Amino acid sequence: MEHVFRSLGNEKVVDLIPYLKEKLAESDNISLYIGCDSQNVGNKTVYACVIVLHYGNNGGHVLYSKMRIDRVRERFAKLWKEVEISMEVAQYLDSHGIRAKYIDIDLNPDPRYKSNSVLRAALGFVESYGYTARCKPHSIAASYCADKLCK
C-alpha cells in the first residue's frame, strides 16, 4: 500500500500500523471507520481517504491520505475507485490485525442521484469481504471528512 497518512490535527505523517495499534490499545470504546471521496479539479482527480477513530460519545480523530491522478472522466470509474481505495486500506489494516467497523461509501441510495448506479455493486463488493458498508446519509467518514479534504 502506497498511501501516506497524516493526522488531521497537525498534518504530521504517521506510521500507520503502530500508530493505530497504540490508539486502539488506549480504549475499548474506539470504532474505526474508513471512507473515501473524490473531486475533479482541473485535469486531475483528487481522492481523499480517511480513517476515523471514533471515541464513542467523546469525538474522534481523523487520519487522511490524498492522491491526485489524471482526471477520471467517467462517473462509474471515479466512484468505483473510491470504493477500491477504501477496501485497499481496510484489507491492509486487516492484514495487520486491525479491523474497521464500517466502510463508508459516498453513494446515495436514492435512485434520483447518479451515484446510485454504483451502489449495489459497491455494497456487494464491500460485504463480500465481510465488512459492513454504510452509505449516505450514514457514511460519516466518506460523506463528510473525505469530502472536505478533497476540495
Side-chain angles (χ1 to χ4, degrees), residues 44-108:
K44 298 289 183 189
T45 299
V46 178
Y47 287 92
C49 181
V50 297
I51 300 170
V52 177
L53 291 99
H54 185 231
Y55 300 108
N57 293 328
N58 296 317
H61 176 56
V62 176
L63 303 174
Y64 72 95
S65 176
K66 289 173 73 171
M67 68 182 218
R68 289 169 181 76
I69 63 172
D70 289 338
R71 186 179 183 107
V72 179
R73 298 191 185 282
E74 204 275 312
R75 181 182 316 278
F76 188 97
K78 182 170 133 339
L79 295 172
W80 188 255
K81 182 76 172 167
E82 293 175 12
V83 178
E84 287 179 328
I85 290 170
S86 292
M87 287 302 296
E88 176 187 336
V89 172
Q91 290 176 305
Y92 174 75
L93 297 181
D94 207 22
S95 73
H96 288 87
I98 301 169
R99 183 76 174 178
K101 181 172 183 178
Y102 297 113
I103 306 298
D104 286 355
I105 53 178
D106 192 31
L107 303 172
N108 203 311

Side-chain angles (χ1 to χ4, degrees), residues 37 66 142-151:
D37 198 10
K66 289 173 73 171
S143 296
Y144 183 75
C145 299
D147 176 69
K148 298 299 180 208
L149 285 163
C150 66
K151 292 186 176 182

Side-chain angles (χ1 to χ4, degrees), residues 2-73:
E2 298 178 22
H3 298 279
V4 174
F5 278 86
R6 297 177 181 276
S7 175
L8 185 59
N10 59 23
E11 309 301 315
K12 288 184 180 178
V13 173
V14 298
D15 189 358
L16 190 58
I17 299 304
Y19 185 87
L20 287 174
K21 285 188 175 186
E22 179 182 322
K23 291 292 184 187
L24 292 168
E26 292 174 2
S27 172
D28 292 335
N29 195 28
I30 299 174
S31 297
L32 212 146
Y33 314 144
I34 298 170
C36 186
D37 198 10
S38 63
Q39 182 80 32
N40 284 333
V41 180
N43 65 348
K44 298 289 183 189
T45 299
V46 178
Y47 287 92
C49 181
V50 297
I51 300 170
V52 177
L53 291 99
H54 185 231
Y55 300 108
N57 293 328
N58 296 317
H61 176 56
V62 176
L63 303 174
Y64 72 95
S65 176
K66 289 173 73 171
M67 68 182 218
R68 289 169 181 76
I69 63 172
D70 289 338
R71 186 179 183 107
V72 179
R73 298 191 185 282

